[in-house]
Amino acid sequence: MKSDLSSKLFAEAKKLIPGGVNSPVRAFRGVGGEPFFVSRANGPRLWDVDGNEYVDYVCSWGPMILGHAPVAVLKAVVDAARDGASFGIPNPREVRLAGLVREAFPSVEKVRFVSSGTEATMSALRLARGFTGRDKILKFEGCYHGHADSLLVKAGSGALTFGQPDSAGVPEALARLTLTAPFNDAEAVAAIVAANRGEIAAIIVEPIPANAGLFLPKPGFLEFLRKITAENGIVLIFDEVISGFRAAKGGAQELYGVRPDMTCLGKIIGGGLPVGAFGGRADIMDKLAPDGPVYQAGTLSGNPVAMAAGIATLETLFAQPGLYKQMDGLAANLAAGVADAARKAGVALSQNRVGSIFCNFFCDGPVSDYASAKRSDTKCYAKFFHAMLERGVYLAPSQFEVGFVSTAHTDAEIGQTVRAAVESFKVL
Ligand code: HOZ
């Protein structure tokens, strides 16, 4: 595998950009070595500047559910850009995308668009605090909700990859308002709520945590969160930035049948362009400026080009509901093939999967929370990552991220990946 041009670019980037990257996990420090620089992508594949080709399971960390450069999205983006890139005044595409969100997420009675998942969760929390008049929030260990101050406490994703689940620069006074509990631990949640009665504004949760690897809610856990929040006047926020339009059309809330008060969205909703959204009960959303006292704004919020990409992506998904089954089938075959290869090579592997989201942990036994995710042998993951990359398969460059199958992946990519895994397990 050639890497001369990527290496040169990375050296130059490090002089100009901290760590050479604009988001830490891209620096490959979770697996060692240097990142490659992408020159182009199409369907399920990426090409780097040195001409190497990869089957892509990162899919830009989730947004590229239709694969790269899908024709419908390309056309929508070009058409929108021709009409002007940004106006700073309402445009019709905002209304169309809001309608599509409402169709998929009945709990989202009103929605506001922002430019990233971080903005969505940050704004949702401010709103929950303004609505309830309370300051404290409760989040779960290993859940990642973007990098707003209140949320970088026992956080997953890059923060966990670099062993910084609690970031420097977050005022202690603010961090103290963020309570944490282990995911799937109803007793711990009940104890915290009892000890802070009348003080918790919101419980924010990834209903399918996908930023410490992947783990699933135990039966009844989300229902329990719904009940205890309703009984205590706490706003229940589902962070569906990853699971929205992915775990099912209507996200985890459709899959598990639990209706939160508020929902945060990102990734797929922008079809690869920067879009986030938060929404929920109308009585809560009506507290937002200009109708209410909670301030929130953004020059590029509802940007017409980004809205166009989101609309084209969602319309494609909604028009062909069979796509979810197709991705699920491919991801199931991928998981089975990789599990079989690991078994034959005598490698301990614990797999979690929801539809097209998957994660392979290098350990025995089930992974159901942050503590069990941390049992994974990250050195083994790093070796596997590089062995797969050598064989033209790009997995997430961290054990504490997930993989995605898109509608553009086919049996050919899955077959190639399983063959690469057979060889890669041999060199661990
Ligand atoms: N936090 C993102 C994954 N969960 C990574 C974002 C990026 O590096 O692009």
Side-chain angles (χ1 to χ4, degrees), residues 203 210 220 288 302 306 315 354 383:
I203 292 184
L288 264 189
E315 283 181 344
V354 182
K383 275 194 200 160

Side-chain angles (χ1 to χ4, degrees), residues 76-403:
V77 165
V78 171
D79 286 351
R82 258 198 207 107
D83 290 338
S86 184
F87 315 127
I89 189 93
N91 71 82
R93 291 185 173 94
E94 295 168 81
V95 187
R96 173 68 183 143
L97 191 58
L100 291 170
V101 171
R102 179 74 212 268
E103 179 187 329
F105 288 81
S107 72
V108 178
E109 293 165 0
K110 287 192 176 176
V111 64
R112 179 158 285 176
F113 294 115
V114 289
S115 299
S116 70
T118 288
E119 265 186 89
T121 53
M122 178 186 84
S123 309
L125 280 182
R126 183 181 306 136
L127 182 54
R129 283 172 160 152
F131 178 75
T132 57
R134 303 172 180 177
D135 288 342
K136 291 183 181 171
I137 59 161
L138 172 61
K139 74 177 281 293
F140 292 91
E141 293 168 10
C143 281
Y144 179 72
H145 306 288
H147 60 90
D149 283 348
S150 294
L151 292 163
L152 279 182
V153 178
K154 297 202 177 160
S157 191
L160 179 56
T161 301
F162 300 115
Q164 297 173 332
D166 306 280
S167 171
V170 173
E172 216 194 299
L174 203 56
R176 261 202 304 271
L177 297 175
T178 303
L179 312 168
T180 59
F183 188 76
N184 272 332
D185 189 338
E187 256 177 52
V189 174
I192 291 169
V193 169
N196 295 273
R197 210 169 288 288
E199 293 182 89
I200 301 177
I203 292 184
I204 183 165
V205 64
E206 288 182 272
I208 299 172
N211 280 290
L214 177 72
F215 37 88
L216 309 186
K218 287 189 176 150
F221 182 65
L222 296 176
E223 290 82 346
F224 162 78
L225 293 182
R226 178 61 288 177
K227 185 164 180 289
I228 196 164
T229 47
E231 286 168 357
N232 288 276
I234 297 170
V235 177
L236 178 61
I237 305 174
F238 275 8
D239 176 348
E240 298 233 42
V241 167
I242 289 182
S243 55
F245 309 105
R246 167 70 72 175
K249 175 180 171 185
Q253 52 198 271
E254 176 189 312
L255 199 64
Y256 296 107
V258 176
R259 186 181 173 110
D261 300 307
M262 293 187 68
T263 299
C264 298
L265 296 165
K267 306 218 189 253
I268 289 172
I269 198 178
L273 271 73
V275 181
F278 63 102
R281 276 168 39 194
D283 60 329
I284 299 178
M285 293 302 289
D286 286 342
K287 294 280 182 262
L288 264 189
D291 285 347
V294 178
Y295 195 70
Q296 185 278 330
T299 297
L300 292 172
S301 297
N303 172 272
V305 183
M307 296 288 105
I311 292 166
T313 301
L314 298 192
E315 283 181 344
T316 305
L317 286 171
F318 293 8
Q320 302 171 66
L323 289 174
Y324 285 96
K325 206 163 168 233
Q326 176 187 314
M327 288 187 283
D328 181 57
L330 288 171
N333 290 344
L334 175 63
V338 170
D340 190 49
R343 200 167 32 249
K344 285 183 178 142
V347 174
L349 205 67
S350 182
Q351 296 183 313
N352 282 339
R353 185 176 72 82
V354 182
S356 58
I357 317 174
F358 66 87
C359 185
N360 296 307
F361 292 100
F362 285 80
C363 59
D364 282 317
V367 173
S368 59
D369 55 18
Y370 178 58
S372 44
K374 282 199 298 182
R375 288 191 300 110
S376 181
D377 182 343
T378 51
K379 289 200 176 79
C380 216
Y381 182 85
K383 275 194 200 160
F384 182 67
F385 167 86
H386 281 293
M388 293 294 277
L389 197 65
E390 280 290 325
R391 289 162 181 80
V393 177
Y394 177 46
L395 300 168
S398 163
Q399 171 66 87
F400 301 115
E401 300 286 356
V402 293

